[in-house]
Amino acid sequence: IGLPNWAVDVPQSLPPLTMIIGIDVSHNTKKGRRSCLGFVASLDPQFCDFYSRICFQKQGVEISTNNILDVFIHDALLEFYKRNKKLPDNIVIYRDGVSDQQMKIVKDHEIPKIYEGIKKLKGTIEAKTKTSLQDLKIGVAEIIVTKRIDDRFFTKDNQKRYYNASSGTTVISGVTNPSVCDFYLVAQNVNQGTVTPTHYYLLENSTNFTLDNFLELTYFQCFNYQNWMGSIRVPAPCQYAHKLCLIAGEMIQAEHQQSLNAVSYTHLTLPTIYSVQISVVAVSLKKK
């Protein structure tokens, strides 16, 4: 009936008008296909309904090089405004797939595009509503999500036996980088082997969020992934962006219909699914 399977509690300290964005890039160098960037942005207060876009770029390129992020941000905020009749006060972006050496490139190239997309939105809304808006003041926070790490954390009992760190374990000092704001979070439970934490770097923050706000939001969103009844290693928007670019890059190699940008998978009807399949076939035939 178009509703999410469940929704996790939203942290009480979180402002009610907040948008969460997930960005990831999928690569398929073995088959020589173009890399695909996936972008998802929440549209509802429970972070269960998403606006989604993809774009293709040169093979093996992780950083957005085709100046498309400002368009994605602009269109996502415009859809948010249509749904809620208001704009979000803050945007929290989870950016996956970025190495330590690429963080400066993201800060210098991708983050300015995000602010540029927000700036363009003012003129668009004024033209559509025929009213004058004050300067848009939307806070932006971008968090780099790093999964491939060698760090492990354990707990020790009175008998000096070691166990995996439990779900919800956070590390904000001792092994973190004192020159940046970063933290480790263990969100998932494991039954075998050692649990691998996820490393988060706060690359940009023009919001009023504290570190505790980011910790709580990040942990809660690891339980909001609708394809798994439990916690995952990364926040749900980050995983949605990963799945989106992976499927589009591996299977379709073409953008989906624009009418599906603001349609969640739970809202897809049988005729809509068939229209997607037909459009994919048409694109493949056109290329041949």
Side-chain angles (χ1 to χ4, degrees):
I1 59 176
L3 297 176
N5 298 326
W6 67 81
V8 299
D9 293 335
V10 177
Q12 295 182 357
S13 58
L14 192 71
L17 290 175
T18 299
M19 171 185 281
I20 302 180
I21 292 176
I23 303 175
D24 194 13
V25 178
S26 174
H27 308 284
N28 192 338
T29 55
K30 292 183 179 180
K31 295 184 179 180
R33 293 179 175 177
R34 298 173 295 171
S35 296
C36 179
L37 182 143
F39 173 98
V40 300
S42 65
L43 300 174
D44 64 321
Q46 289 74 36
F47 312 119
C48 293
D49 201 5
F50 286 87
Y51 176 90
S52 60
R53 295 286 295 272
I54 61 171
C55 73
F56 291 91
Q57 48 198 37
K58 292 182 180 180
Q59 180 182 349
V61 175
E62 177 68 35
I63 308 301
S64 175
T65 57
N66 48 10
N67 298 328
I68 200 69
L69 278 184
D70 56 334
V71 178
F72 287 179
I73 292 289
H74 171 276
D75 294 349
L77 287 172
L78 188 60
E79 186 64 31
F80 188 99
Y81 182 80
K82 292 178 181 177
R83 296 280 187 95
N84 303 280
K85 308 304 179 186
K86 295 180 180 179
L87 288 170
D89 296 324
N90 299 284
I91 299 175
V92 179
I93 304 170
Y94 290 101
R95 178 64 161 93
D96 197 2
V98 177
S99 65
D100 294 348
Q101 295 75 20
Q102 295 173 320
M103 289 187 188
K104 187 178 186 307
I105 303 176
V106 171
K107 190 173 183 64
D108 293 341
H109 294 276
E110 289 192 357
I111 292 179
K113 283 297 178 182
I114 294 168
Y115 286 107
E116 187 176 327
I118 297 174
K119 186 177 180 180
K120 289 179 180 178
L121 183 68
K122 181 176 183 293
T124 302
I125 294 180
E126 288 180 341
K128 287 182 177 292
T129 60
K130 307 298 181 182
T131 58
S132 179
L133 292 177
Q134 297 179 350
D135 292 338
L136 292 180
K137 295 181 180 179
I138 300 178
V140 175
E142 176 149 353
I143 300 175
I144 303 299
V145 181
T146 306
K147 302 187 298 293
R148 298 178 181 178
I149 59 177
D150 297 325
D151 306 87
R152 299 293 186 272
F153 300 108
F154 302 93
T155 58
K156 184 175 65 172
D157 62 12
N158 295 330
Q159 299 180 3
K160 297 184 178 181
R161 291 178 299 188
Y162 290 88
Y163 301 91
N164 277 322
S166 59
S167 176
T169 299
T170 57
V171 178
I172 60 174
S173 62
V175 293
T176 55
N177 189 341
S179 61
V180 297
C181 181
D182 65 325
F183 60 91
Y184 293 87
L185 172 63
V186 176
Q188 74 280 18
N189 285 306
V190 298
N191 297 322
Q192 294 180 341
T194 57
V195 64
T196 303
T198 303
H199 198 181
Y200 298 88
Y201 293 87
L202 183 58
L203 195 63
E204 171 72 11
N205 185 22
S206 60
T207 69
N208 294 324
F209 288 13
T210 64
L211 179 58
D212 288 339
N213 295 143
F214 289 117
L215 290 172
E216 192 174 15
L217 176 64
T218 302
Y219 180 60
F220 278 34
Q221 283 305 302
C222 290
F223 288 83
N224 209 26
Y225 184 58
Q226 301 292 309
N227 291 333
W228 181 255
M229 294 184 62
S231 58
I232 59 176
R233 282 193 63 191
V234 296
C238 193
Q239 185 69 6
Y240 287 138
H242 171 73
K243 288 292 185 181
L244 178 65
C245 64
L246 180 65
I247 294 175
E250 293 280 347
M251 308 292 293
I252 303 176
Q253 277 287 304
E255 295 188 25
H256 54 262
Q257 294 180 357
Q258 292 186 359
S259 59
L260 299 178
N261 288 343
V263 179
S264 296
Y265 75 96
T266 53
H267 297 169
L268 290 179
T269 60
L270 192 58
T272 305
I273 295 174
Y274 276 122
S275 68
V276 176
Q277 294 175 343
I278 292 173
S279 65
V280 172
V281 174
V283 169
S284 62
L285 291 176
K286 185 177 179 180
K287 288 184 178 180
K288 292 180 180 180

